[in-house]
Amino acid sequence: MRAFSYERASSVEAAAKAVASNPDAKFIAGGTNLLDLMKLEIETPTHLVDVNGLELDQIQATPDGGLRIGALVRNTDLAAHAKVRSDYGLLSRALLAGASGQLRNKATTAGNLLQRTRCPYFYDPNQPCNKRQPGSGCSAIGGFTRQHGIVGVSDACIATHPSDMAIAMRALDAVVETVKSDGGRRSILIADFYRRPGDTPHIETILEHGEFITAVALPSPLGGKHVYRKVRDRASYAFALISVGAVIQPDGRGRFAVGGVAPKPWRIEAAEAELPKGARAATEILLADAHPTEQNRFKIDLVKRTLGAVVEEARG
Ligand code: SF4
């Protein structure tokens, strides 16, 4: 691990300013992904700004009937919160499908959104990787691609986003609230939060350097039945081959987002209109632009079948 300096932020604004003033600085909270990346020298910040003392660990009702989740709420606490369990069951289930108990105790809401891909080539400094070292090439293309993306990818990167929580947030239309170093605030629809890789896969979100996530807001509850189903190579502590998070109403209408197929939580609202006709029709629209490899073509059928199972489970 490379040497770095460290400070504890005294306020949200001070944290944003401290990171913005140094191009090699980063925020640190739970550190469940960043510290691993630093040990491998994949991330090499020269300065860390610790935000753990900023008292952003509250979950509060909003005036419009929704919930505001502080950026530092730990994944375990969010999954166990009574209101999340009763009204946003999809979010609770997605969180509990991710990582391990120990990791969920440390991992934060904002950090979960910002975790990096688990593409194995990204974690191997001996392999070219455009996301780790822009312009070096993509080892996955032409390599081992069973875990990789099939839609929304580019010729520069076919990695997937690993978060389970983000799939639920996307289906629930969450809004990411931020503060910039100049004090300006933004509310960003999660649909707009992640970028597609294009030619710059190392830039993963629309956040500016130093822009600090303070909270994630959820709109008022949708009702319906909430299901999160994750398909993976082993029963726990593994990332998704694919996952489906859905809210299904009694009449068969609903909304859903899919993980493990794209560089961002994948939701196509037009596909949801097809849901009453069946999972096949909905998946055809959801994955209409898919460009799978020979090794991950199976994900198309897997999404179809998993979505069908999710709808069946929801309708009892
Ligand atoms: Fe790197 Fe993306 Fe290619 Fe993986 S898929 S090797 S993260 S550029």
Side-chain angles (χ1 to χ4, degrees), residues 4-7 15 18-20 22-29 34 37-38 42-51 114 116 202 204 209-210 212:
F4 59 89
S5 51
Y6 170 90
E7 70 174 279
V19 170
N22 177 348
D24 296 319
K26 280 199 169 285
F27 302 112
I28 185 161
L34 180 59
L37 292 166
M38 288 174 66
I42 293 165
E43 296 264 17
T44 53
T46 58
H47 186 65
L48 288 184
V49 178
D50 186 338
V51 297
L114 296 175
R116 310 293 305 275
H202 58 294
E204 295 169 351
H209 182 66
F212 180 70

Side-chain angles (χ1 to χ4, degrees), residues 37-204:
L37 292 166
M38 288 174 66
K39 288 177 200 166
L40 292 165
E41 298 191 359
I42 293 165
E43 296 264 17
T44 53
T46 58
H47 186 65
L48 288 184
V49 178
D50 186 338
V51 297
N52 280 297
L54 294 183
E55 297 182 355
L56 297 171
D57 56 358
Q58 303 294 310
I59 301 173
Q60 293 164 324
T62 60
D64 64 358
L67 273 191
R68 175 168 288 104
I69 303 158
L72 295 171
V73 173
R74 306 289 154 170
N75 288 180
T76 297
D77 296 332
L78 183 56
H81 190 270
K83 185 94 175 142
V84 173
R85 289 180 55 167
S86 63
D87 294 348
Y88 303 94
L90 174 58
L91 178 57
S92 184
R93 292 186 179 103
L95 282 159
L96 294 174
S100 65
Q102 292 94 332
L103 286 166
R104 292 194 295 268
N105 288 344
K106 286 296 288 179
T108 63
T109 303
N112 190 316
L113 291 177
L114 296 175
Q115 64 182 294
R116 310 293 305 275
T117 184
R118 263 56 178 194
C119 170
Y121 301 105
F122 176 70
Y123 285 81
D124 182 350
N126 298 311
Q127 303 288 335
C129 169
N130 286 322
K131 191 184 278 295
R132 176 169 27 80
Q133 193 179 352
S136 62
C138 172
S139 298
I141 296 174
F144 184 67
T145 55
R146 176 175 157 76
Q147 294 275 353
H148 287 78
I150 59 174
V151 69
V153 295
S154 73
D155 290 342
C157 180
I158 58 171
T160 58
H161 194 271
S163 170
D164 293 292
M165 185 193 80
I167 305 304
M169 294 291 197
R170 177 68 180 93
L172 295 169
D173 278 335
V175 175
V176 181
E177 299 179 351
T178 70
V179 171
K180 296 198 222 181
S181 58
D182 64 2
R185 290 177 180 264
R186 285 209 283 177
S187 294
I188 305 165
L189 271 175
I190 192 130
D192 303 326
F193 182 73
Y194 294 106
R195 291 165 45 113
R196 292 203 198 183
D199 294 332
T200 53
H202 58 294
I203 306 173
E204 295 169 351

Side-chain angles (χ1 to χ4, degrees), residues 228-290:
Y228 186 75
R229 193 171 287 206
K230 181 174 181 178
V231 183
R232 46 191 160 173
D233 281 332
R234 61 175 185 234
S236 72
Y237 198 39
F239 291 93
L241 277 173
I242 67 110
S243 64
V244 176
V247 179
I248 306 294
Q249 303 298 339
D251 62 3
R253 288 180 302 112
R255 50 168 79 188
F256 64 97
V258 174
V261 297
K264 57 192 287 186
W266 198 249
R267 180 179 173 203
I268 303 286
E269 279 79 348
E272 295 167 358
E274 299 294 304
L275 206 48
K277 293 184 196 162
R280 177 177 293 276
T283 305
E284 271 164 19
I285 293 185
L286 182 82
L287 299 179
D289 297 327

